Amino acid sequence: MKKNKLITAVLITTIAAGSVSANVYAKAYSLSQNKVSTTTKIGTGSTPSLAEGEAMTVDAAVARAIERSTTIKTYEDNIEITEDNLDDVRVERLDATEWNEINSYAISYKKLELQKEDYKDKIEAEKQTIRYNIENYFSTILYMQDYLAIYDEILDVAARSLEVTKKQYELGMISQNEYDQAVNEYNEKVTSKTTAENSISSSYTALNTLLDYNVAATYPVTLDDEETGESIVVYEPVDKTTLATAVALATSSSNITIKSLERNVEIAQYTVDTYSDLYSNDSEIEKTAALYTATSSLNNTKLSYEASVKTLYQNILENEDSYNDLNNQLTTLQNTMSIYEKQYELGQITELALDSYKLEEKQLVLSIQNTVNTHYFYMQQYENPNLL
């Protein structure tokens, strides 16, 4: 199951507020899509039992998703199977008399021990991914609902603006190309409603699949913390001294992918260390080559994660620049709104112009929220390499 569809939010924001750079948000989508939860199942047909006016919280959704996760259940089953296999190998090793057999059982036992630890790590990483995905689905649903709440106003202003543009074209005041561009922009706003509705629908489908509900079920959701009542999605600028720490974290054993590869190296090293010219049946060259392959895979993966973190860091900085720009635009607009209202009263600007300024204010607020959402999920990945 992929992470939430931030790209749709990007499209809507770009349509709703032309001053927002889509490039900043497009990167959020590419990064937010690359973490996969392997939990896949079809909803049971049930729907959430919520009291009237109650919204599903992130904690409640996470608890249910973890409880219903087939992926976590599979890992737990695999741990039990591995423990049984460990018992079998332990017994077989005690009965073995030949050096070759004893060494083979020792290697098998070590592999099984590390495999068991791998499954435990994957359970914890899956829980982290589940929370990340649920927060993403919730934020997409809420953002798109906020967009749809002002959609009629967006379309009304767009239609009136297009009518003015049409008259300008008929009077020869603008070119055919300028008029065609205005028509295209209007049509984009018309279709943006469908885009938003589809995004909400797909987010609910993914969420319900994760929670084992009827895939068509819809219900209120909230990002507010159950204890504080405040949104868990907050904007906290990145500490610009933490890049080296973030890289070190992503390339350390805190990253379960790195940890798993380190275990592969450990096994390969163990087989080399226990090799005997006198008793081993296989080739020392093969064991050494296997160690080289495991080590190279570990080192290459570390380099890949280092590059990913550095790219993510740049995306965070760009996002913060966009956040500051949008807030400056909003402040400037709010400070001059009273002037626009006075100009309208004096007949110096049209009602359409005033309505456009008021709509722009709402769009900027929405765009800022989208930036905050994107930043929040960037920071989740920056601080937790298991979400990269």
Side-chain angles (χ1 to χ4, degrees):
M1 181 182 304
K2 298 283 186 180
K3 288 181 179 174
N4 120 323
K5 306 291 189 288
L6 282 181
I7 188 63
T8 310
V10 173
L11 292 173
I12 296 299
T13 303
T14 306
I15 291 169
S19 59
V20 182
S21 171
N23 291 332
V24 174
Y25 301 120
K27 292 175 182 174
Y29 172 69
S30 63
L31 281 169
S32 70
Q33 291 295 306
N34 63 4
K35 180 62 183 174
V36 179
S37 168
T38 52
T39 300
T40 55
K41 55 184 177 288
I42 304 300
T44 60
S46 62
T47 56
S49 299
L50 297 171
E52 184 176 353
E54 181 184 6
M56 179 173 290
T57 64
V58 169
D59 285 345
V62 169
R64 180 180 173 89
I66 290 174
E67 178 190 5
R68 300 301 180 101
S69 171
T70 56
T71 298
I72 292 176
K73 182 64 169 64
T74 298
Y75 289 146
E76 290 172 342
D77 290 344
N78 286 342
I79 288 174
E80 292 184 14
I81 293 170
T82 303
E83 288 173 343
D84 290 340
N85 290 337
L86 281 167
D87 290 339
D88 292 341
V89 171
R90 189 182 298 112
V91 171
E92 294 293 337
R93 183 183 180 185
L94 291 175
D95 292 340
T97 56
E98 299 293 328
W99 185 94
N100 242 358
E101 285 184 302
I102 294 172
N103 187 52
S104 177
Y105 284 129
I107 293 173
S108 295
Y109 191 85
K110 190 170 188 64
K111 285 181 178 179
L112 287 168
E113 279 188 318
L114 296 181
Q115 188 177 66
K116 178 182 173 181
E117 294 306 308
D118 246 16
Y119 289 137
K120 289 180 178 179
D121 288 345
K122 287 177 179 177
I123 288 175
E124 292 309 308
E126 181 67 12
K127 290 178 180 179
Q128 294 166 11
T129 301
I130 284 173
R131 176 171 290 276
Y132 181 98
N133 285 340
I134 286 174
E135 289 180 357
N136 246 318
Y137 297 142
F138 277 32
S139 68
T140 300
I141 290 168
L142 293 171
Y143 174 81
M144 292 302 173
Q145 288 175 341
D146 287 344
Y147 174 78
L148 291 176
I150 65 170
Y151 173 78
D152 288 342
E153 188 174 348
I154 291 172
L155 196 61
D156 173 64
V157 170
R160 290 155 62 195
S161 296
L162 181 60
E163 188 63 31
V164 172
T165 303
K166 181 180 179 181
K167 291 179 179 178
Q168 290 175 329
Y169 170 67
E170 292 171 346
L171 294 172
M173 298 170 64
I174 61 173
S175 67
Q176 177 73 51
N177 182 61
E178 290 174 310
Y179 175 68
D180 291 343
Q181 183 177 349
V183 172
N184 290 336
E185 290 175 357
Y186 173 78
N187 289 336
E188 286 177 354
K189 289 180 171 62
V190 172
T191 59
S192 69
K193 180 179 183 179
T194 300
T195 303
E197 290 172 340
N198 288 343
S199 180
I200 292 173
S201 177
S202 62
S203 294
Y204 268 118
T205 297
L207 178 62
N208 289 330
T209 301
L210 193 60
L211 301 183
D212 199 23
Y213 284 134
N214 185 316
V215 293
T218 58
Y219 38 87
V221 296
T222 180
L223 286 167
D224 291 344
D225 182 86
E226 292 183 31
E227 294 183 1
T228 66
E230 298 179 357
S231 176
I232 61 175
V233 177
V234 294
Y235 177 85
E236 295 180 358
V238 67
D239 184 340
K240 293 181 174 59
T241 67
T242 59
L243 178 57
T245 302
V247 169
L249 180 66
T251 56
S252 72
S253 56
S254 296
N255 182 337
I256 67 161
T257 301
I258 297 297
K259 184 62 177 177
S260 182
L261 292 173
E262 288 176 340
R263 287 172 177 143
N264 291 343
V265 172
E266 185 178 347
I267 289 293
Q269 184 67 61
Y270 184 77
T271 60
V272 169
D273 293 342
T274 58
Y275 176 81
S276 170
D277 289 332
L278 295 176
Y279 299 107
S280 297
N281 292 329
D282 43 8
S283 166
E284 183 179 11
I285 294 176
E286 291 179 357
K287 292 181 181 295
T288 303
L291 174 59
Y292 175 80
T293 299
T295 303
S296 296
S297 178
L298 172 60
N299 292 335
N300 290 336
T301 303
K302 284 184 176 182
L303 290 174
S304 177
Y305 272 105
E306 180 179 353
S308 295
V309 171
K310 288 180 177 178
T311 299
L312 179 59
Y313 178 74
Q314 291 303 316
N315 291 342
I316 291 171
L317 295 182
E318 290 180 18
N319 174 279
E320 292 181 0
D321 287 342
S322 179
Y323 174 84
N324 292 331
D325 289 344
L326 288 169
N327 274 283
N328 288 337
Q329 291 177 45
L330 179 60
T331 299
T332 299
L333 181 61
Q334 289 175 334
N335 289 339
T336 54
M337 187 63 71
S338 60
I339 297 175
Y340 295 139
E341 290 173 342
K342 187 63 176 179
Q343 287 178 333
Y344 172 67
E345 291 176 4
L346 296 173
Q348 295 175 350
I349 62 172
T350 65
E351 182 178 12
L352 173 58
L354 180 61
D355 290 345
S356 296
Y357 289 129
K358 291 180 178 179
L359 176 59
E360 183 182 356
E361 181 180 4
K362 295 178 182 179
Q363 291 172 323
L364 283 169
V365 170
L366 197 59
S367 296
I368 290 170
Q369 183 56 55
N370 187 53
T371 312
V372 170
N373 290 346
T374 302
H375 187 274
Y376 174 79
F377 292 111
Y378 273 156
M379 292 302 297
Q380 292 281 304
Q381 293 177 306
Y382 186 70
E383 295 170 353
N384 184 353
N386 294 321
L387 299 175
L388 280 168

